[in-house]
Amino acid sequence: MYPDRTGGPPGDARQAPQPLPVLARDTTAERPWPVRLLSEKIREYVAKMSTVWVEGQVVEHTYRGRAGMQFVTLRDTDVEASLPVHMLTRAFDGLHHKPEVGDHVVVQARPEFWTKAGRLSLRATAIRQVGVGELLARIDQLRRVLAAEGLFDVDRKRPLPFLPAVVGLVCGRESKAEHDVVVNARSRWPQVRFEIREVAVQGVNAVREVSAAIAELDARRDVDVLVVARGGGSVEDLLPFSNEALVRVAAACTTPLVSAIGHETDAPLLDLVADYRASTPTDAAKRIVPDVAEERARVTQARQRIRAAMASRLDREQHGLDAVRSRPALATPQSMVDAREREVGQHVRHARHLLDAALLRASGEVGRLAAQVRALSPASTLERGYAVVQRGDGHVVRSPGDVAVGDALRLRLAVGALDAEVTATADAAPHG
C-alpha cells in the first residue's frame, strides 16, 4: 500500500489520498507514477501495435521441448540492436531446417511487453529463412547504390607503400589466413612488423568487430597499410564483408587497405572499396612487402647496368679523345705555327718587294719633278748671270717706273746678294 500524497502514514484516515495523474505529462516529483502503473501503461500502448514482419540475424536459439516453445534472439545486421522472439514450435513447420545462429530470417510477430521483467519481446506466428539468392540480390542492389556514390571509383584508390614499417592485420582468431600473411610477408622482408587484431570474421559479431579493428588500426600513425584477411568460405560466411556499415568504415579509412577475403566467385563489397584486392592472404603478403632477395638482385643488376653504362661512356669518350689527339693540330702543334710563320714570311717579303717597287717609282717621279722644278726655278736663270732686283719692301722691280732716284735696291744673284741705290732712271727703249 502506497502512502498518500500528504506524507502521512499508510492508512491514515485523517486525510483521503489524492488520485494519481492520468497522463504522463501531469506527473511531478510530488505526484509520481509507481512502477507498476508505468509498466501497465507501456503494456497497453504496445498492445495497440499491429502485427509486423521483422528481419534480422539469429544470434541465439533455445528450444524448450516441454513447453513446445522456441526462443530466438534477432540482431540487426548493421547496428547494435536486438530483440527476443518466442514462438510455438509449429511455426517452424515447412522450413527445410531449423534456423541456426548466423542465419538471416524474417518473422511475423506482435510486440509484447512483460510488466514483471520490464522486457519487450516479440511473439512470432511465422518465420521464414532469407535465401542466399535474395541476400545476393540485396548485395547487388547495395553495390549499385555505393557505386553511384563513387565509393568504388578508381581515382579513390590509394597506392600501397613500397616498404611499410608496420602492417595492420585484421583476421580470425588463430586462423590460417593470419599464418599465410605473416609467414609469407616475413619470409620476403624479415624486418616488417605486424599489429594483429584477431576478431570474428563470420557470424553475428563479425561486422562489429571487424569494423572496430579497422577503425582502431586506421587511427594509429605508425600503421602504414591495413590488411583484412580471411581464407575464403561460403557465401553466407562472407556476408559480413558485404555489410553496408563495414563497407563504409573501410571507405572512410585513410590508411591504404588491402582486402584478402579469398573468394573468387562472388567478390564481397569490401573487395570493391579496398585500395587493392588480393586473391588470397598469400597474395596480400606478396603485395604489401617486397621480396628482399628480389630487391637485392635488382640492386645488383642496377649496379651492373650502371657500371656497363659508365664503361661504355668512358670508352666512347676515350675513343673521341684519341681521335682528336691524333689530328695533326694536336699531334704536332708546332707544324701549325710553322705554316703560319711561312705565310707571314711570304707576306713580309711580298710587302717589301711591293714597297721597294713603289719607292723606286716614287723616286723616279720625284727626280723627274725635281728636274722640272729646277728647270722652271728662277735660280737656274740666275745661274746664267741674271739677277733679281727688289725694292726695300721686297717688291720685284720690273720697270724703271717701279723705283725712284735714291731708292735702295737689293740685287739677288745666283750666289749671294748685292745692295745698290738708284742714281738715274731711263725709259725702256721701244722694241723695234
Side-chain angles (χ1 to χ4, degrees):
M1 184 175 182
Y2 284 87
D4 60 27
R5 300 301 175 232
T6 63
D12 190 353
R14 290 177 297 179
Q15 185 175 357
Q18 296 181 4
L20 295 174
V22 178
L23 300 178
R25 64 171 179 265
D26 296 332
T27 60
T28 64
E30 291 74 20
R31 301 179 64 199
W33 275 355
V35 173
R36 68 174 183 275
L37 180 57
L38 176 60
S39 297
E40 184 64 25
K41 293 285 187 180
I42 295 175
R43 188 191 67 77
E44 293 175 357
Y45 182 83
V46 172
K48 296 177 182 179
M49 297 179 63
S50 60
T51 302
V52 60
W53 284 95
V54 181
E55 179 183 357
Q57 188 177 21
V58 177
V59 294
E60 292 181 1
H61 183 198
T62 304
Y63 171 61
R64 296 180 182 176
R66 293 183 179 180
M69 296 291 293
Q70 304 283 345
F71 294 88
V72 175
T73 300
L74 288 186
R75 178 182 178 275
D76 192 279
T77 56
D78 293 334
V79 298
E80 285 294 326
S82 61
L83 282 174
V85 182
H86 62 279
M87 68 195 79
L88 295 175
T89 302
R90 64 172 177 267
F92 284 68
D93 295 344
L95 298 179
H96 296 294
H97 66 276
K98 294 181 180 180
E100 300 177 355
V101 174
D103 289 350
H104 286 254
V105 297
V106 176
V107 299
Q108 185 183 34
R110 188 184 187 90
E112 289 183 350
F113 185 78
W114 298 84
T115 57
K116 291 184 178 181
R119 181 171 61 92
L120 179 70
S121 66
L122 299 177
R123 181 179 184 85
T125 56
I127 182 171
R128 297 179 185 177
Q129 291 176 311
V130 179
V132 175
E134 185 176 352
L135 292 175
L136 292 179
R138 295 181 184 180
I139 292 175
D140 187 64
Q141 173 64 24
L142 179 60
R143 178 186 292 108
R144 290 194 292 268
V145 172
L146 298 180
E149 295 181 15
L151 266 62
F152 306 149
D153 291 349
V154 177
D155 55 3
R156 294 186 73 255
K157 308 293 183 183
R158 288 156 298 200
L160 303 183
F162 170 71
L163 186 59
V166 178
V167 176
L169 176 59
V170 180
C171 57
R173 296 176 177 85
E174 300 180 356
S175 62
K176 184 67 165 55
E178 176 183 350
H179 176 271
D180 291 344
V181 173
V182 174
V183 172
N184 285 281
R186 286 178 175 166
S187 67
R188 292 169 62 84
W189 197 274
Q191 286 75 21
V192 66
R193 295 189 296 112
F194 281 91
E195 282 293 333
I196 302 175
R197 298 295 181 269
E198 295 182 346
V199 298
V201 292
Q202 72 180 59
V204 295
N205 296 320
V207 173
R208 175 176 56 82
E209 293 187 12
V210 172
S211 299
I214 292 176
E216 177 198 352
L217 293 175
D218 180 47
R220 295 186 53 151
R221 294 186 177 181
D222 58 335
V223 175
D224 299 318
V225 64
L226 291 177
V227 179
V228 180
R230 174 193 163 90
S234 64
V235 175
E236 293 89 340
D237 293 339
L238 300 182
L239 287 177
F241 298 98
S242 293
N243 181 271
E244 181 178 0
L246 190 149
V247 171
R248 291 191 181 277
V249 169
C253 185
T254 59
T255 306
L257 187 142
V258 176
S259 175
I261 306 305
H263 196 269
E264 295 289 346
T265 306
D266 299 303
L269 298 186
L270 182 64
D271 286 351
L272 302 180
V273 79
D275 298 298
Y276 179 79
R277 177 186 182 272
S279 58
T280 62
T282 301
D283 178 45
K286 294 179 179 179
R287 183 64 183 84
I288 58 177
V289 294
D291 190 333
V292 63
E294 293 180 359
E295 296 304 319
R296 286 174 178 171
R298 290 176 182 172
V299 171
T300 301
Q301 293 175 358
R303 287 176 176 174
Q304 292 174 350
R305 288 196 297 268
I306 291 173
R307 290 193 183 100
M310 292 297 297
S312 176
R313 181 65 179 269
L314 290 175
D315 290 342
R316 185 168 61 254
E317 297 299 329
Q318 185 64 51
H319 292 327
L321 182 59
D322 294 341
V324 172
R325 292 176 60 184
S326 64
R327 295 176 183 175
L330 293 180
T332 54
Q334 186 63 31
S335 62
M336 184 174 62
V337 178
D338 293 341
R340 297 297 179 268
E341 183 181 13
R342 289 192 295 271
E343 292 180 5
V344 171
Q346 292 176 358
H347 290 312
V348 169
R349 289 192 294 273
H350 183 62
R352 287 176 178 171
H353 176 71
L354 294 178
L355 181 58
D356 291 342
L359 290 176
L360 182 59
R361 289 194 302 271
S363 177
E365 183 67 19
V366 169
R368 185 180 65 79
L369 293 176
Q372 291 180 357
V373 170
R374 283 193 297 269
L376 297 176
S377 174
S380 299
T381 304
L382 297 177
E383 288 177 355
R384 292 198 299 270
Y386 292 95
V388 177
V389 181
Q390 294 175 312
R391 294 186 309 199
D393 57 4
H395 190 273
V396 177
V397 178
R398 291 182 173 81
S399 67
D402 292 336
V403 297
V405 177
D407 289 342
L409 298 177
R410 184 176 180 82
L411 282 65
R412 185 177 179 183
L413 305 177
V415 179
L418 298 174
D419 292 330
E421 183 180 343
V422 179
T423 59
T425 62
D427 294 334
H431 297 283

